[in-house]
């Protein structure tokens, strides 16, 4: 990080390994926590990637850029052609109107793109709905929901990210949504911070499901297990919500956190 900061300031063309490091960085935020000068390194990386993209350097897109292509389709009007609710089971309660929405995010697309790996990301989404139902909440699930834009922003495509941010905020406004619940840490960070950077103050709040569970009166039951927490960087370092996961797991006496 030190070399990238220095060369981004003092060199028009950075050294090859430094230029590659701009794309290899996970933007996890650990260096920001340790930096004695308080450099906002993740924000710097966003800017460097936007500059690199403008120069025709886009790094190596994971999965041939398939998910980024879906996001760009959403940005340019494909959101009303989706069939994105087929994963919803019959025994969960959701609403068409209400104050609280659940932002599903890319989970249905992950299930399709990684089907050959047996991935079932929507299982976590269904679990989130069950938790909300147990708290007496029937969340609004939008059939025309679009991607939050997280990966576009962090890959330097600020133009299409801003389109998604504006469209998402407008969709919430049209439905009168006052609170948006997220199960995905990336969506949570993006909706909370990055949408607001584009549109100004939001008319709704954003909350991660672990925060709601931690603050609830729920007692969760299950098979006794020993668990280790892997903190999502977007939730813990970027949003400062590391205690939320721990507080949520404390609701289940059957889970021993190691």
């Amino acid at each position: 990080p030190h070399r990238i900061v220095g060369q981004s300031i003092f060199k028009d063309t950075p050294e090859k390994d430094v230029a590659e490091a701009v794309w290899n960085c996970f933007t996890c935020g650990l260096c920001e926590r340790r930096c004695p000068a308080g450099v906002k390194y993740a924000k710097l990386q966003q800017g460097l990637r936007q500059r690199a993209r403008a120069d025709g350097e886009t790094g190596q897109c994971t999965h041939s850029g398939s998910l980024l292509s879906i996001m760009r389709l959403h940005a340019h009007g494909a959101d009303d052609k989706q069939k994105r609710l087929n994963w919803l089971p019959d025994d969960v309660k959701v609403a068409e109107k209400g104050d609280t929405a659940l932002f599903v995010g890319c989970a249905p697309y992950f299930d399709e793109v990684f089907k050959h790996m047996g991935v079932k990301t929507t299982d976590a989404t269904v679990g989130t709905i069950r938790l909300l139902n147990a708290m007496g909440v029937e969340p609004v699930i939008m059939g025309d929901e679009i991607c939050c834009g997280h990966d576009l922003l962090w890959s330097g495509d600020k133009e299409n990210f801003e389109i998604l941010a504006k469209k998402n905020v407008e969709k919430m406004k049209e439905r009168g949504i006052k609170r948006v619940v997220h199960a995905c840490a990336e969506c949570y960070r993006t909706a909370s911070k990055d949408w607001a950077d584009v549109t100004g103050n939001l008319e709704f709040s954003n909350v991660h499901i672990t925060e709601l569970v931690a603050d609830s009166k729920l007692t969760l039951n299950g098979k006794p297990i020993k668990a280790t927490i892997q903190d999502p960087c977007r939730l813990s370092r970027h949003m400062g919500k590391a205690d939320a996961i721990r507080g949520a797991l404390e609701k289940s006496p059957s889970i021993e956190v190691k």
Side-chain angles (χ1 to χ4, degrees), residues 38-210:
V39 173
K40 301 299 182 184
Y41 187 70
K43 196 72 175 177
L44 173 67
Q45 283 284 41
Q46 282 187 13
L48 291 175
R49 290 175 180 180
Q50 289 165 26
R51 192 172 78 180
R53 181 177 173 81
D55 291 339
E57 299 290 340
T58 58
Q60 181 177 350
C61 292
T62 57
H63 313 294
S64 300
S66 54
L67 290 165
L68 293 176
S69 295
I70 291 172
M71 296 173 197
R72 293 185 180 109
L73 285 170
H74 285 178
H76 295 282
D79 48 306
D80 59 342
K81 304 296 184 184
Q82 304 179 82
K83 294 181 180 179
R84 60 175 290 129
L85 300 182
N86 295 341
W87 52 271
L88 272 173
D90 295 332
D91 62 331
V92 297
K93 297 179 180 178
V94 299
E96 293 185 5
K97 294 182 179 181
D99 290 341
T100 298
L102 173 63
F103 195 84
V104 174
C106 287
Y109 290 102
F110 269 65
D111 286 1
E112 292 300 319
V113 173
F114 303 113
K115 184 182 290 185
H116 64 288
M117 297 170 58
V119 168
K120 197 67 177 173
T121 312
T122 48
D123 282 353
T125 313
V126 172
T128 299
I129 299 173
R130 295 193 197 285
L131 286 168
L132 290 171
N133 288 171
M135 289 183 270
V137 178
E138 296 181 13
V140 174
I141 306 288
M142 297 185 292
D144 63 344
E145 185 190 288
I146 57 176
C147 182
C148 71
H150 174 277
D151 287 10
L152 288 182
L153 179 63
W154 291 95
S155 63
D157 190 350
K158 187 178 181 182
E159 178 183 356
N160 281 306
F161 165 73
E162 290 185 347
I163 294 173
L164 287 177
K166 292 174 183 176
K167 290 177 74 171
N168 271 301
V169 171
E170 188 60 30
K171 285 176 183 289
M172 300 301 175
K173 184 177 179 180
E174 289 173 354
R175 288 170 169 81
I177 301 297
K178 300 301 180 185
R179 178 177 64 171
V180 182
V181 180
H182 302 271
C184 168
E186 283 80 5
C187 291
Y188 175 47
R189 184 241 138 88
T190 304
S192 301
K193 287 190 172 184
D194 302 315
W195 289 357
D197 286 346
V198 174
T199 65
N201 292 333
L202 303 176
E203 297 181 13
F204 52 88
S205 61
N206 289 282
V207 63
H208 195 268
I209 183 61
T210 53

